[in-house]
Amino acid sequence: MKINLKDLNDKIENQDYIQDLETVKYADISKSKSKIKPYAKKMVKEVVAAFKHDSLVQTQLAVTGQRPVTFALETNIINLPYANYKKVANFFEEGQEYGLNVYFETRSEYVNVSHFRIDQLATEEEIEQDSDAVVDKLVDAIVEKIKVVREYKKPESKAKTTKTTTKKKTTTEKKATTKKK
């Protein structure tokens, strides 16, 4: 599927795309690839269906628990989330058509300082030709990001430093001026 910048922006702005959100608990997926796979399979299946219907898609898996995290797949022409769709115009020209890719997003305050990570998961061709391989790739990505979230240590807040001000002694030297005769 190819799309031009105007249509892309209009669809995202009007939320004219397939949307899905599923919520699970950490306990439901644990660290097991076999428990994550059905969710990943469903997400990839929705992306494939969106491509078949010439539609954009945003499918999300929210994992609740002590360190919540949301995983999403979005189709876009660039690795920017739909929330930042207005910035896409900075990178592309009007009037041209661009191919869509599938991006894997991770949102959590425990993923990094920006609380967000986005990576290209697949091209349209890759997901249509071998969706099982993309499912496996997504499962691996989710497992990896869950590990990152669980092991994440927030940066230490800057300790309050006591400001000690020292007054600089300024000395002014007066230069003797001599008059020339």
Side-chain angles (χ1 to χ4, degrees):
M1 173 181 164
K2 290 195 177 263
I3 193 165
N4 66 45
L5 195 56
K6 183 185 181 321
D7 290 345
L8 177 76
N9 285 337
D10 288 347
K11 285 179 182 283
I12 295 172
E13 186 172 336
N14 298 319
Q15 294 187 355
D16 179 16
Y17 51 88
I18 297 169
Q19 297 180 60
D20 186 39
L21 170 64
E22 184 143 355
T23 304
V24 298
K25 295 176 184 171
Y26 271 112
D28 296 338
I29 59 171
S30 66
K31 294 178 188 173
S32 165
K33 288 184 177 186
S34 62
K35 290 184 179 181
I36 294 170
K37 193 166 187 166
Y39 297 103
K41 200 171 210 166
K42 181 181 180 212
M43 292 172 81
V44 169
K45 188 176 179 181
E46 289 173 350
V47 173
V48 170
F51 277 130
K52 284 182 181 171
H53 293 94
D54 287 335
S55 181
L56 299 176
V57 65
Q58 178 190 63
T59 179
Q60 300 179 64
L61 176 65
V63 183
T64 61
Q66 191 173 9
R67 290 188 167 212
V69 59
T70 299
F71 302 108
L73 292 183
E74 287 183 351
T75 52
N76 205 334
I77 60 177
I78 189 171
N79 61 341
L80 281 174
Y82 285 176
N84 296 347
Y85 75 95
K86 290 182 179 179
K87 294 179 181 179
V88 175
N90 296 336
F91 305 98
F92 294 92
E93 293 179 29
E94 284 285 339
Q96 291 188 23
E97 294 208 330
Y98 300 95
L100 292 172
N101 292 309
V102 182
Y103 293 97
F104 171 63
E105 301 173 3
T106 306
R107 291 180 194 277
S108 172
E109 66 179 273
Y110 304 100
V111 75
N112 57 30
V113 177
S114 68
H115 305 167
F116 181 76
R117 171 75 192 199
I118 186 168
D119 299 287
Q120 182 174 328
L121 182 70
T123 63
E124 178 179 3
E125 294 77 30
E126 290 169 340
I127 203 164
E128 288 176 347
Q129 289 173 1
D130 194 355
S131 62
D132 289 341
V134 176
V135 168
D136 291 341
K137 195 174 174 182
L138 178 58
V139 168
D140 290 343
I142 290 173
V143 168
E144 176 191 326
K145 294 300 186 264
I146 286 174
K147 184 178 178 192
V148 167
V149 166
R150 288 188 173 181
E151 294 174 358
Y152 184 73
K153 289 183 177 33
K154 287 187 176 181
E156 292 182 27
S157 59
K158 293 179 182 174
K160 290 182 181 178
T161 53
T162 327
K163 288 187 177 179
T164 54
T165 53
T166 54
K167 290 186 177 179
K168 290 183 183 176
K169 289 184 181 178
T170 52
T171 54
T172 358
E173 291 179 25
K174 290 187 178 177
K175 292 185 180 177
T177 54
T178 53
K179 289 185 181 178
K180 290 186 181 178
K181 293 185 185 177

